Amino acid sequence: DWHHDIVSSDDKIYTFVGSSLMIVDTANGEIHREISAAELLKWAWDSDLYIFDARRKKLFSEKNLSKSNLVNLFYPDPFHFNKADILTADNADRYDIFEAGDILLSLRELNLVVVVRPSTESIIWYRYGLTQAQHDATFNDGHIDVFDNNSSSTPPEPRIVRLNLERNVSETLFNLADWGMVMRAKGNFELNGNQLLVTDDEAGRMIYGSMDGEIQFVFENTFLKVGTESTNLALRNAAEIPPERVQEFEAQCVQYRTDQ
């Protein structure tokens, strides 16, 4: 059950299998490290934190907690990990409280966003309850930004949210309902300065525009069109490729054809 986002950093791929974070070597496909939810619970307990288990430590001891029996101690899918983002050495100096190698995790079912440090097996920072069923928690230029599905809002108002690193508050950067988005679940985005790229998953649509609300480009993932009515296939993610990267790709293709 490999699932959700795949993030590549420093020759490693980060993704999930069930309730475990998997770190995979891109060179040979071998699993470099696995960090299970059971381990995260223990890291938190070491700091007297119960953010992963709602104080259920009272119901069982550390001795009988393991990856294999975790599902028997909690209801099915109690965490729903949906994003891991890695703080790289190039970006670490933008953060005062984090360091290179720290991992940002989003746990949908707990409305929890947390930063862990595998090198010391510790919990560095977390925000609980400021988002609801959130996705795509991201280290972004000295900030932590999140696709907040805000799933109980009426009418639906999914939004891009910035979590304050020092205080337990959040700031709404953009209300995606302004672009006609519902998104009770799923969601990915890229925020680059004043430019926002977002996928409207189930609608099969990608929207690119500015943070003042101007839509500059829309891609419809059309599968079937009858008259004026269209049916779109789901669109899970989109990424902006800078012009210089496109030039690098083109150069690689030219070199490949030359070598052949």
Side-chain angles (χ1 to χ4, degrees):
D1 183 24
W2 295 79
H3 63 91
H4 285 86
D5 280 7
I6 298 173
V7 174
S8 178
S9 177
D10 295 329
D11 298 322
K12 299 290 189 301
I13 287 175
Y14 299 77
T15 188
F16 300 101
V17 171
S19 59
S20 289
L21 171 67
M22 310 300 287
I23 305 175
V24 182
D25 193 313
T26 59
N28 52 30
E30 294 182 357
I31 296 174
H32 175 74
R33 183 172 183 181
E34 176 180 357
I35 303 174
S36 72
E39 289 181 80
L40 293 176
L41 264 75
K42 293 176 182 179
W43 297 1
W45 291 347
D46 288 342
S47 300
D48 288 329
L49 293 175
Y50 301 89
I51 54 177
F52 298 107
D53 57 337
R55 297 191 176 275
R56 287 201 62 180
K57 186 180 180 183
K58 296 178 181 178
L59 303 183
F60 54 86
S61 69
E62 183 171 336
K63 291 182 180 179
N64 65 17
L65 175 65
S66 67
K67 172 189 171 184
S68 60
N69 69 11
L70 188 70
V71 69
N72 299 319
L73 298 169
F74 290 89
Y75 60 88
D77 196 19
F79 312 110
H80 199 93
F81 293 92
N82 58 29
K83 175 64 182 287
D85 200 22
I86 316 307
L87 187 57
T88 64
D90 292 341
N91 294 320
D93 60 357
R94 295 180 172 89
Y95 298 86
D96 294 331
I97 59 175
F98 306 135
E99 62 182 38
D102 287 351
I103 301 177
L104 172 64
L105 298 171
S106 168
L107 292 81
R108 186 194 70 183
E109 291 302 291
L110 298 183
N111 302 325
L112 174 67
V113 177
V114 60
V115 175
V116 303
R117 184 166 296 164
S119 61
T120 59
E121 300 188 346
S122 56
I123 310 299
I124 304 302
W125 176 95
Y126 68 93
R127 290 290 179 264
Y128 170 78
L130 296 179
T131 54
Q132 190 174 37
Q134 77 288 326
H135 287 72
D136 205 15
T138 304
F139 287 118
N140 184 28
D141 195 25
H143 306 284
I144 288 180
D145 298 334
V146 180
F147 190 116
D148 180 16
N149 295 87
N150 198 18
S151 56
S152 67
S153 58
T154 305
E157 289 192 352
R159 56 193 181 172
I160 305 301
V161 166
R162 177 161 292 170
L163 303 180
N164 192 291
L165 297 180
E166 298 177 352
R167 297 180 294 118
N168 192 41
V169 295
S170 63
E171 172 191 1
T172 298
L173 300 181
F174 190 79
N175 189 339
L176 293 166
D178 293 346
W179 285 353
M181 295 178 61
V182 178
M183 295 297 293
R184 294 292 195 189
K186 307 181 179 68
N188 285 275
F189 77 101
E190 289 186 0
L191 179 58
N192 184 10
N194 192 47
Q195 295 299 120
L196 176 64
L197 171 66
V198 65
T199 54
D200 194 353
D201 285 42
E202 296 304 325
R205 181 179 298 116
M206 181 207 76
I207 304 175
Y208 182 79
S210 63
M211 294 294 283
D212 58 12
E214 177 189 4
I215 294 178
Q216 299 164 346
F217 180 78
V218 176
F219 171 73
E220 300 279 356
N221 196 29
T222 304
F223 170 66
L224 181 65
K225 188 170 185 177
V226 179
T228 59
E229 298 297 322
S230 296
T231 300
N232 288 356
L233 292 174
L235 183 65
R236 291 292 180 243
N237 199 2
E240 182 178 6
I241 303 175
E244 59 270 19
R245 290 292 291 143
V246 175
Q247 294 173 2
E248 291 176 11
F249 294 151
E250 291 176 341
Q252 291 171 4
C253 290
V254 170
Q255 185 61 50
Y256 175 80
R257 289 194 296 268
T258 302
D259 292 341
Q260 295 302 308

